Amino acid sequence: MASESPSSTRKVVVHLRATGDAPILKQAKFKIPGTDKFAKVIDFLRRQLHRDTLFVYVNSAFSPNPDELVIDLYNNFGFDGKLVALYAVMLHIIGIFMLIMRYLAEG
């Protein structure tokens, strides 16, 4: 009988932080099994915010593949005992895009 490794059954604290004009969640921290895929975090946010289009990113830098395991993201990018995931709604993303385009046009 195969047993699961301790890291695969470990619960991970995920801290969801709003950016830009995204609504702030009433409960921003929660624990999920490390074996869950990041898609579960994205789906949770979509349900809570009643939005189909979200941008969710880790380490203030990149949007993980939804198939990534939460424990793998935590092991590589977690700190202070949690995985911080920032989220933005579409209006904020468009604003960032417009700023980048303006910067490129001026440069």
Side-chain angles (χ1 to χ4, degrees), residues 6-14 31-35 70-71 74 81:
S7 66
S8 67
T9 57
R10 179 179 179 186
K11 295 256 185 180
V12 174
V13 175
V14 177
K31 286 184 180 181
I32 63 171
T35 54
V70 172
I71 193 69
Y74 173 78

Side-chain angles (χ1 to χ4, degrees), residues 12 19 24 36 41 49 57 63-64 68 71 83 85 90 100-101:
V12 174
T19 60
I24 297 172
D36 284 351
V41 174
L49 302 175
Y57 50 104
S63 182
E68 288 283 338
I71 193 69
L83 175 66
M90 193 60 178
I100 292 170
M101 294 304 291

Side-chain angles (χ1 to χ4, degrees), residues 3-79:
S3 63
E4 294 184 42
S5 68
S7 66
S8 67
T9 57
R10 179 179 179 186
K11 295 256 185 180
V12 174
V13 175
V14 177
H15 185 180
L16 298 171
R17 298 181 61 187
T19 60
D21 294 334
I24 297 172
L25 297 173
K26 289 181 183 178
Q27 180 179 346
K29 292 182 187 176
F30 61 96
K31 286 184 180 181
I32 63 171
T35 54
D36 284 351
K37 294 181 179 181
F38 194 68
K40 190 167 186 176
V41 174
I42 297 168
D43 291 339
F44 171 79
L45 275 170
R46 284 184 179 142
R47 285 192 312 274
Q48 293 297 309
L49 302 175
H50 306 288
R51 307 254 181 181
D52 288 330
T53 306
L54 289 174
F55 184 65
V56 185
Y57 50 104
V58 171
N59 208 21
S60 298
F62 75 98
S63 182
N65 184 325
D67 288 333
E68 288 283 338
L69 294 179
V70 172
I71 193 69
D72 292 339
L73 292 169
Y74 173 78
N75 287 337
N76 289 299
F77 305 105
F79 61 93

